[in-house]
Amino acid sequence: MIKSRRRLWFLIAILMGVVLFFAVLVAPTQNRLISGSTFGVSPDGYAAWYDFMKERKTIIERWQKPFDILEKSALENPITLLRIYGKYSRFIIDDREKQWVKQGNTLVILASQGRVTEAPFTTNHRTNFGDVTIETTRRKTGYSKAILEDDFGAIISQEKQSRGQIIYVTTPYLGANAYKLFPGNYQFLAHLVESTPGNKILVDEYIHGYKNKDLQETETDSNVLVYLLNTPLLIILIQGLLIILILIFANNNGMNKKKKIQRKIANNSQEYINALATILQNAKSRDFVLKTIEKAEKLQLQKKLGLKLDPQNLDSLIKVWSQRVGKSPMMLETLLKKSHKNYSSHDFKLLEWMKQWQTIHKEIYPQSSNHDNK
């Protein structure tokens, strides 16, 4: 009996280890999808810039298929492909992609690239499209033509490839949502993708994991590992718990143990919260709830910053937070000065709003001192 019990717990330990292993692999997936994606509404996403391009009547589309299909597709016009690699991504241009560029296509790459220099982290540059703000110390050298540069090297450079070209941008955040109040950045990125007149403009979303529905239907997973990596973490945990319950049930039946019936203890607080949430939802008081949460988040932020808990001037709160964390005030300013009503109509936007508040709080007590986004 003792051996059987030990064996059961040994199997449970192995199973939980496997679940945790895949949890580590799957957990950052959402961040990878959002960072640098035109679907992302977080500060490092590009949803605002994509909307900006649509508003200015630029013909631009999201590409959600493998490069092989793009390479083989018989398009009448050459293509400008914009790739924005998020903070979790690393990019490599292979020989096939270079050959595709040589055929007259343009590849625009936004990524953390180039060597780290002694340049200030934040620099402002006057251009024909307005002031452009750059936040990186990285610069590229050795390229024949610099599109934007300073004394430390090229920030944006152009590499000719026969009839095509590759444009390198040393920061992945040139036109991110965080720079929505910097029109020069948005205009300059628009200029880069429109630098080859007549090209069809595509934004590569496939590198962020997004796929067209028809492609999803035709693709099949070839092994269990691919299945697990593409399965949401919640489903993996549920499957693991079900297996554990089956093992426990089988073990208890085998040993013919009597089970004690335990009385379920009511959680009055939880029941009250659920009932209140139901009432507010039926009363369509979503805006009231968000307003209450927003007020609580501000008070919590004031408390962490050591400020009085009475209502604070937004500009003063932004200034104190920026001085404390050593970051640009734009991140908090965008969150505070944009009404919560913008997030009340969509659950996805609401989740992003809550994540942005979490990021603001975490910046005050970072888990690591290494915050070099170079």
Side-chain angles (χ1 to χ4, degrees):
M1 183 180 297
I2 295 176
K3 289 183 178 180
S4 177
R5 182 181 293 274
R6 288 180 178 176
R7 183 179 181 183
L8 172 63
W9 286 110
F10 178 72
L11 292 174
I12 292 175
I14 293 177
L15 179 61
M16 293 306 298
V18 173
V19 170
L20 290 175
F21 171 75
F22 285 109
V24 172
L25 292 179
V26 177
T29 300
Q30 185 63 21
N31 286 332
R32 290 195 191 104
L33 291 175
I34 294 174
S35 182
S37 169
T38 59
F39 291 107
V41 296
S42 59
D44 56 357
Y46 270 73
W49 179 82
Y50 190 80
D51 291 341
F52 162 80
M53 295 294 285
K54 289 291 187 179
E55 289 174 1
R56 71 200 298 265
K57 307 301 181 183
T58 300
I59 300 177
I60 184 171
E61 299 177 13
R62 294 181 172 110
W63 179 259
Q64 301 178 67
K65 295 181 180 181
F67 179 77
D68 294 348
I69 298 178
L70 178 66
E71 184 183 27
K72 296 175 182 178
S73 60
L75 300 176
E76 296 180 359
N77 297 325
I79 295 171
T80 293
L81 181 64
L82 173 62
R83 283 182 171 174
I84 308 168
Y85 290 88
K87 55 188 175 183
Y88 302 101
S89 305
R90 294 291 181 270
F91 78 93
I92 297 177
I93 304 177
D94 59 30
D95 293 337
R96 290 176 56 193
E97 292 170 338
K98 286 186 176 180
Q99 186 61 36
W100 176 78
V101 171
K102 290 178 180 179
Q103 296 171 2
N105 299 295
T106 297
L107 183 60
V108 181
I109 297 176
L110 276 64
S112 293
Q113 54 183 310
R115 61 183 181 85
V116 177
T117 68
E118 296 181 358
F121 182 75
T122 301
T123 55
N124 294 300
H125 308 268
R126 289 188 176 182
T127 71
N128 295 333
F129 308 95
D131 292 343
V132 175
T133 298
I134 299 295
E135 291 189 322
T136 182
T137 64
R138 295 182 180 273
R139 300 292 187 269
K140 272 186 172 289
T141 56
Y143 286 87
S144 58
K145 182 178 180 180
I147 300 175
L148 183 66
E149 63 181 338
D150 57 16
D151 295 338
F152 299 93
I155 301 170
I156 302 175
S157 55
Q158 178 190 51
E159 182 182 75
K160 286 290 186 180
Q161 293 282 339
S162 185
R163 293 184 293 134
Q165 63 175 341
I166 302 176
I167 297 176
Y168 298 93
V169 182
T170 57
T171 172
Y173 309 119
L174 177 63
N177 295 331
Y179 295 87
K180 188 175 182 179
L181 300 180
F182 295 75
N185 285 48
Y186 278 30
Q187 292 284 0
F188 199 87
L189 180 56
H191 162 68
L192 292 180
V193 298
E194 294 171 347
S195 60
T196 308
N199 277 23
K200 183 175 183 178
I201 302 174
L202 301 176
V203 183
D204 195 342
E205 287 294 344
Y206 186 80
I207 63 174
H208 296 285
Y210 293 100
K211 302 177 183 179
N212 284 1
K213 290 184 178 180
D214 55 344
L215 183 63
Q216 293 177 3
E217 294 173 356
T218 56
E219 286 187 344
T220 55
D221 296 330
S222 58
N223 53 56
V224 176
L225 179 61
V226 174
Y227 163 74
L228 290 173
L229 289 177
N230 288 315
T231 302
L233 178 59
L234 179 61
I235 296 179
I236 295 177
L237 293 176
I238 292 174
Q239 291 173 346
L241 290 174
L242 286 175
I243 295 175
I244 292 174
L245 291 174
I246 292 172
L247 289 173
I248 293 175
F249 179 77
N251 184 70
N252 288 342
N253 282 347
M255 294 185 292
N256 294 320
K257 286 188 175 182
K258 294 182 179 180
K259 297 181 181 179
K260 295 181 179 180
I261 300 177
Q262 296 182 352
R263 179 179 296 177
K264 185 177 180 181
I265 301 175
N267 189 336
N268 294 329
S269 297
Q270 185 62 46
E271 291 180 1
Y272 173 77
I273 292 172
N274 293 339
L276 180 60
T278 302
I279 293 173
L280 291 172
Q281 183 177 6
N282 292 336
K284 298 182 179 180
S285 299
R286 189 184 184 102
D287 187 64
F288 166 76
V289 175
L290 293 182
K291 186 177 181 179
T292 303
I293 294 174
E294 185 179 50
K295 183 178 179 181
E297 293 288 357
K298 290 179 182 177
L299 290 176
Q300 182 68 13
L301 182 60
Q302 290 173 208
K303 184 177 179 181
K304 288 185 178 180
L305 293 173
L307 300 175
K308 295 181 180 180
L309 296 183
D310 53 345
Q312 294 283 325
N313 179 273
L314 292 184
D315 292 331
S316 299
L317 182 59
I318 292 169
K319 182 178 180 181
V320 173
W321 178 85
S322 177
Q323 292 175 346
R324 173 69 65 86
V325 303
K327 294 291 183 69
S328 171
M330 178 175 48
M331 184 177 179
L332 180 57
E333 182 179 2
T334 303
L335 182 60
L336 287 176
K337 294 188 176 182
K338 189 171 184 179
S339 173
H340 63 271
K341 293 182 179 180
N342 294 309
Y343 303 96
S344 62
S345 59
H346 300 287
D347 290 340
F348 178 76
K349 290 184 178 180
L350 175 58
L351 289 175
E352 288 303 321
W353 181 65
M354 295 298 297
K355 287 180 182 179
Q356 290 176 34
W357 270 113
Q358 291 177 3
T359 301
I360 292 295
H361 289 301
K362 288 180 180 179
E363 290 291 346
I364 300 177
Y365 302 111
Q367 297 178 356
S368 173
S369 60
N370 183 16
H371 287 276
D372 183 10
N373 291 325
K374 302 173 183 177

